[in-house]
């Protein structure tokens, strides 16, 4: 057994967060299982922050990357193109209904590109629209632009005032047995209408589920009503599907199920099946045409060095193949969660149970919700002792497992949560 210690030369992202425990050292990972350096095995019940879509080291994706690495590992995309990028653009365009694909490096920059395109599109039309509209509780990434449209938190506070003038509208999230959701939806729509009275470049939202704020789910009719208001005001709609994309909500994209036809869509996380960091922003042909001009200042400039990296594209194509070969793995996941969550929902500490697609969540009844509350950390610790890795968001406990998770592993996850609740004082 190796004792875990903080590494002397790493600046780890969770170093300072509320007495964070020393990171667990991972030796290798396959399927839903992480193999730790100290000999323990853990079920990765949240797909390493919603990334490893099929599970770790999915063999078909690993093989596609290895083959691509033999052929073309990288070339600057500014002056060149290549088959993997073109095939991926064709496929994602056909699947999303958005004709143009712009590459970037991760979820934050996919969002940032969407915001920049929306802004410049208006500018190219001769209209300065400086206002963006976002939803309370939203999370869109950690780059400065993406932070500006996310909820204010202890993480964004040091960077105030953030870029962009942003109006915020309530997010009327709901659960299985909710009361008063219609009233909250109507109030949110009224606030949206009010915000849209100021000409706004775009409205950005996480379709169906706000992830980082605690798997906060809204109903499809609410999102359709949002879309109607956005269209009526002549603004643009940006769907951030970084978390919800690729089957996570039970349909390939959450927009599909919600009846949304956004102007821009950001994708990342599951895009490469979790193998390589890559993001894409899909845009409608109408928006693209707004950048075709003899005026060089009308051009959209955003050129990352690794744009359209061929290895990432090959991984994304193989991941799509894997997804399409067996769609029941995501369309039927919700039915697998339901009986377990129903059972848990009778526990006196469980509030607001909900699930959609591969995502299941509930709140632990505590007096002190919020990111730094101790109950979530305690549940994480107790589940770890039972061989299950999860990471509650404040007092929200959730599962977002890889599609390869077996029934036996799913049962172990719920059993660990049940035992952790029994051992929690509340
Ligand atoms: N948007 C959403 C909805 C997300 O959930 C995340 C990541 N949690 C991001 C954007 C940012 O993605 P990344 O961490 O890859 O920058």
């Amino acid at each position: 057994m190796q004792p875990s210690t903080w590494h002397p030369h790493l600046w780890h992202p969770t170093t300072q967060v509320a007495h964070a425990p020393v990171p667990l050292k991972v030796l290798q990972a396959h399927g839903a299982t992480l193999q730790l350096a100290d000999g323990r095995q853990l079920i990765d019940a949240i797909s390493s922050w919603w990334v490893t879509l099929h599970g770790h080291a999915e063999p078909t994706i690993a093989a596609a990357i290895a083959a691509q690495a033999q052929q073309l590992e990288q070339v600057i995309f500014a002056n060149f193109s290549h088959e993997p990028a073109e095939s991926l653009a064709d496929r994602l365009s056909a699947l999303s209904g958005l004709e143009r694909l712009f590459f970037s490096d991760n979820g934050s920059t996919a969002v940032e590109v969407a915001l920049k395109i929306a802004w410049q599109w208006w500018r190219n039309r001769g209209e300065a629209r400086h206002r963006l509209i976002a939803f309370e509780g939203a999370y869109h990434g950690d780059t400065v632009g993406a932070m500006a449209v996310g909820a204010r938190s202890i993480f964004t506070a040091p960077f105030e005032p953030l870029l962009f003038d942003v109006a915020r509208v309530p997010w009327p999230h709901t659960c299985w047995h909710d009361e008063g959701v219609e009233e909250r939806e109507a109030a949110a729509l009224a606030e949206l209408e009010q915000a849209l009275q100021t000409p706004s470049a775009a409205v950005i939202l996480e379709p169906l589920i706000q992830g980082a704020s605690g798997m906060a789910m809204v109903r499809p009719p609410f999102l359709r009503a949002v879309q109607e208001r956005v269209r009526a005001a002549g603004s643009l709609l940006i769907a951030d599907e970084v978390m919800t994309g690729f089957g996570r909500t039970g349909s390939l994209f959450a927009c599909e199920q919600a009846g949304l036809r956004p102007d821009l869509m950001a994708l990342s996380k599951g895009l490469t099946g979790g193998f390589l960091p890559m993001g894409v922003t899909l845009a409608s042909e109408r928006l693209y045409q707004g950048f075709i001009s003899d005026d060089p200042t009308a051009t959209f400039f955003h050129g990352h060095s690794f744009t359209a990296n061929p290895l990432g594209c090959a991984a994304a194509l193989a991941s799509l193949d894997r997804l399409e070969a067996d769609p029941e793995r995501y369309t039927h996941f919700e039915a697998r969660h339901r009986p377990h969550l129903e059972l848990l929902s009778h526990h006196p500490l469980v509030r607001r149970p909900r699930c959609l697609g591969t995502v299941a969540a509930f709140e632990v009844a505590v007096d002190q919700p919020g990111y730094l509350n101790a109950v979530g950390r305690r549940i994480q610790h107790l589940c770890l002792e039972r061989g299950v890795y999860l990471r509650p968001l404040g007092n929200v406990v959730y599962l977002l497992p890889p599609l390869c998770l077996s029934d036996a592993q799913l049962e172990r996850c719920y059993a660990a949560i049940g035992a952790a609740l029994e051992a929690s004082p509340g």
Side-chain angles (χ1 to χ4, degrees):
M1 291 258 289
Q2 273 182 350
S4 286
T5 50
W6 289 101
H7 191 278
H9 301 298
L10 269 176
W11 191 331
H12 205 270
T14 58
T15 310
Q16 306 293 339
V17 179
H19 318 294
V22 174
L24 302 167
K25 197 158 178 174
V26 183
L27 280 189
Q28 50 175 290
H30 295 282
T33 307
L34 298 167
Q35 175 72 53
L36 302 189
D38 64 13
R40 281 183 291 163
Q41 285 197 338
L42 299 177
I43 298 176
D44 184 352
I46 58 166
S47 308
S48 282
W49 270 10
W50 329 334
V51 162
T52 55
L53 180 62
H54 308 279
H56 292 272
E58 161 64 34
T60 56
I61 303 177
I65 294 172
Q68 185 62 44
Q70 300 292 320
Q71 203 167 327
L72 174 67
E73 89 299 353
Q74 166 66 2
V75 64
I76 184 65
F77 204 57
N79 299 112
F80 298 99
S81 186
H82 48 76
E83 183 57 37
E86 291 175 5
S87 297
L88 186 59
D90 291 346
R91 273 177 83 175
L92 286 178
S93 165
L95 291 169
S96 68
L98 291 165
E99 294 89 347
R100 297 281 169 176
L101 181 151
F102 196 97
F103 281 102
S104 55
D105 296 343
N106 51 43
S108 304
T109 50
V111 166
E112 197 102 5
V113 163
L115 298 175
K116 284 174 66 178
I117 289 177
W119 260 52
Q120 196 181 343
W121 187 75
W122 286 108
R123 181 200 159 277
N124 286 356
R125 289 161 63 99
E127 255 192 81
R129 292 200 174 206
H130 291 141
R131 152 84 55 104
L132 291 160
I133 299 176
F135 283 85
E136 286 169 9
Y139 177 79
H140 297 291
D142 286 343
T143 52
V144 185
M147 271 200 293
V149 284
R152 297 293 184 260
S153 73
I154 53 164
F155 303 115
T156 59
F159 308 103
E160 295 282 353
L162 290 158
L163 296 173
F164 302 129
D165 165 22
V166 181
R168 277 191 179 66
V169 174
W171 182 252
H173 57 96
T174 186
C175 63
W176 279 353
H177 312 291
D178 209 356
E179 279 168 22
V181 64
E182 284 87 358
E183 289 77 5
R184 288 188 293 112
E185 286 172 348
L189 288 173
E191 285 201 35
L192 175 65
E193 279 169 18
Q194 177 68 30
L196 282 165
Q197 304 233 321
T198 303
S200 303
V203 174
I204 181 166
L205 53 82
E206 292 161 83
L208 291 178
I209 310 179
Q210 278 188 345
S213 72
M215 301 300 154
M217 302 183 186
V218 288
R219 307 190 306 170
F222 170 72
L223 292 178
R224 286 196 290 276
V226 167
Q227 177 169 257
E228 274 168 28
R229 306 302 190 275
V230 176
R231 295 277 174 260
S235 188
L236 300 175
L237 185 63
I238 304 175
D240 176 354
E241 291 237 26
V242 168
M243 188 278 272
T244 54
F246 303 106
R248 285 313 200 171
T249 64
S251 50
L252 188 63
F253 298 117
C255 282
E256 215 174 285
Q257 209 184 133
L260 294 185
R261 305 240 340 128
D263 302 283
L264 291 151
M265 184 192 277
L267 297 171
S268 186
K269 291 202 187 273
L271 170 66
T272 62
F275 274 73
L276 290 159
M278 176 176 265
V280 299
T281 306
L282 290 150
S284 65
E285 186 64 24
R286 180 173 81 107
L287 290 198
Y288 178 74
Q289 289 302 328
F291 292 82
I292 307 301
S293 159
D294 292 335
D295 172 7
T297 69
T299 305
F300 183 66
F301 285 110
H302 192 103
H304 295 292
S305 319
F306 283 98
T307 291
N309 171 253
L311 302 178
C313 294
L317 288 165
S319 179
L320 276 175
D321 286 344
R322 183 70 189 90
L323 210 54
E324 286 173 355
D326 209 353
E328 290 77 28
R329 293 202 314 166
Y330 63 88
T331 54
H332 289 177
F333 214 110
E334 185 175 323
R336 297 174 61 198
H337 273 309
R338 270 190 179 262
H340 294 289
L341 195 57
E342 289 276 6
L343 218 64
L344 265 189
S345 68
H346 301 298
H347 193 282
L349 284 178
V350 172
R351 297 271 188 283
R352 300 180 62 80
R354 52 210 186 245
C355 69
L356 185 68
T358 63
V359 184
F362 64 87
E363 286 151 38
V364 184
V366 283
D367 293 339
Q368 187 210 356
Y371 189 81
L372 295 180
N373 92 72
V375 175
R377 287 205 307 279
R378 183 166 156 74
I379 288 183
Q380 175 173 5
H381 174 75
L382 292 167
C383 286
L384 272 182
E385 283 184 344
R386 289 168 176 80
V388 173
Y389 169 67
L390 47 82
R391 189 166 189 266
L393 293 155
N395 65 326
V396 177
V397 176
Y398 73 94
L399 293 176
L400 207 167
L403 298 177
C404 70
L405 195 84
S406 69
D407 286 340
Q409 286 170 321
L410 189 64
E411 241 177 271
R412 271 191 61 197
C413 293
Y414 278 99
I417 293 173
L421 287 173
E422 285 308 315
S424 293

